[in-house]
Amino acid sequence: MSRKTPAVQITDPGLFGYDPIDPSRYTSPDFMAREWSHMWTKVWNMGPRIVDIPEPGDYVLHELGKESFVFVRGEDGEVRGFYNVCQHRGNRLCLGSELGSLKDFTCSFHGWKWHIDGSLKAIHDPHTFPQFENGRMPDLDLSTVRVGEWAGWIWFCMDLNGPSLQEFLGVLPEHLDPYEIQNMTLVDYKTYEWDCNWKVGCDAFNESYHFTTLHPQMTEWADDFAEIEIHGIHSRMIQEYATASKAHGDTEKIGPNLAYYMRNLLGIDPDAFAGKRPADVRLEVQRRARAVENDTHLPYKNLRDDQLSDDYHYTIFPNVSFNVMAASINGFRYRPHPTDPNKMLYDLLVLFNMPPGAPAADYEHRTITDRNVHYSKTLDIDMDPTIVEVLMQDKSTVGGVQAGLRSDGYKGMHLGTQELRVRHLHAMVDKYLGADL
Ligand code: FES
Ligand SMILES: [Fe+2]
């Protein structure tokens, strides 16, 4: 594959104007209901990993808002998606384990059964349903969602008629396929309940304007002035990593945080860089990766030099952030709460491009309700404390922001040019919500 990822094309920061944003969109039950009816049910949503259901009969559950979905691989090898609801009295059809294997769907309440292709198999005591006799059988098959596959994920859309997954993704496959995400392994997946609207979570990761205040240590090893691009409903920002912030860091000396980052995350001895500048470290990361590109399973050959060192941060509309690095992704998915606009579910998804033959990841997907929990207490992988610290700092703001958005004293949200992607997300939400306003 050639190094085909398109070069950076910085977007006009005034593309969506500079008007303040009304905070009620984060707090209003009506707005939440419109997001559900006009947006969540229309977009393609990122669900589980395809590798979770390799064999016929394998299923995996996934929740979004008020809905639970079951994805199952059929006898014909096709992956299908159904609302996880029994057509008798509405019981959840699959209960308990999020992953498993089954021969048919059997409801635990009265025993109605469905084939794994979603067609009705059997009704218990059918003679007691006279209304179904003489050809008066209603449609009792399971309700379906459209299903697609990209980058190793199952994608699903509740709208049976809208754009295809490829149309929805736009430029994303062209940008991201060189990273070979389909070959990456999900090595940890945890869900945290947050006391904020899903958009507060998304906003928190959609800009790097906050780096110098919230993550001051990062000015030594990341450049907060990101290049921002809008690509239809999706967007990305590109942060130089393994170098100091040009505006707010010390660009002449390697500080202790960059030295730690070098030693523990990059495998570079900082002592060997005495007298060199932070920018030299970034170039060294690129040089080292390029030197081994013919001898590694990692997709270095597909990538430009800056992609070997930098964080390409994508927002896949509406609710996925991928920090895409050459060998890994720190991904976040922001799921709306079933009923409360002041709450959300934050999925932390860690993917590594593992060597061929590496053992399967051993993690347990759990939902953590303790708001004060430290990530290091819940993750099944050893995430470096530097990264955990940054993520904990991000998490520390969201409840306070949501409380402020509810305040009568708050006058509205003013966003600067570094927050263009925050504004873009709201503009794209409005685009969906405005469909029939
Ligand atoms: S609710 Fe499922 S069989 Fe009755
Ligand atoms: Fe942050």
Side-chain angles (χ1 to χ4, degrees), residues 200-216:
V200 170
C202 200
D203 292 353
F205 294 94
N206 246 343
E207 44 88 2
S208 43
Y209 180 49
H210 66 276
F211 275 22
T212 50
T213 308
L214 191 62
H215 316 300

Side-chain angles (χ1 to χ4, degrees), residues 1-5 178 180 299-304 307:
M1 187 184 290
S2 64
R3 290 167 195 155
K4 65 173 192 173
T5 305
E180 300 178 355
Y300 295 155
K301 272 198 275 197
N302 304 341
L303 305 175
R304 293 193 319 273
Q307 293 176 297

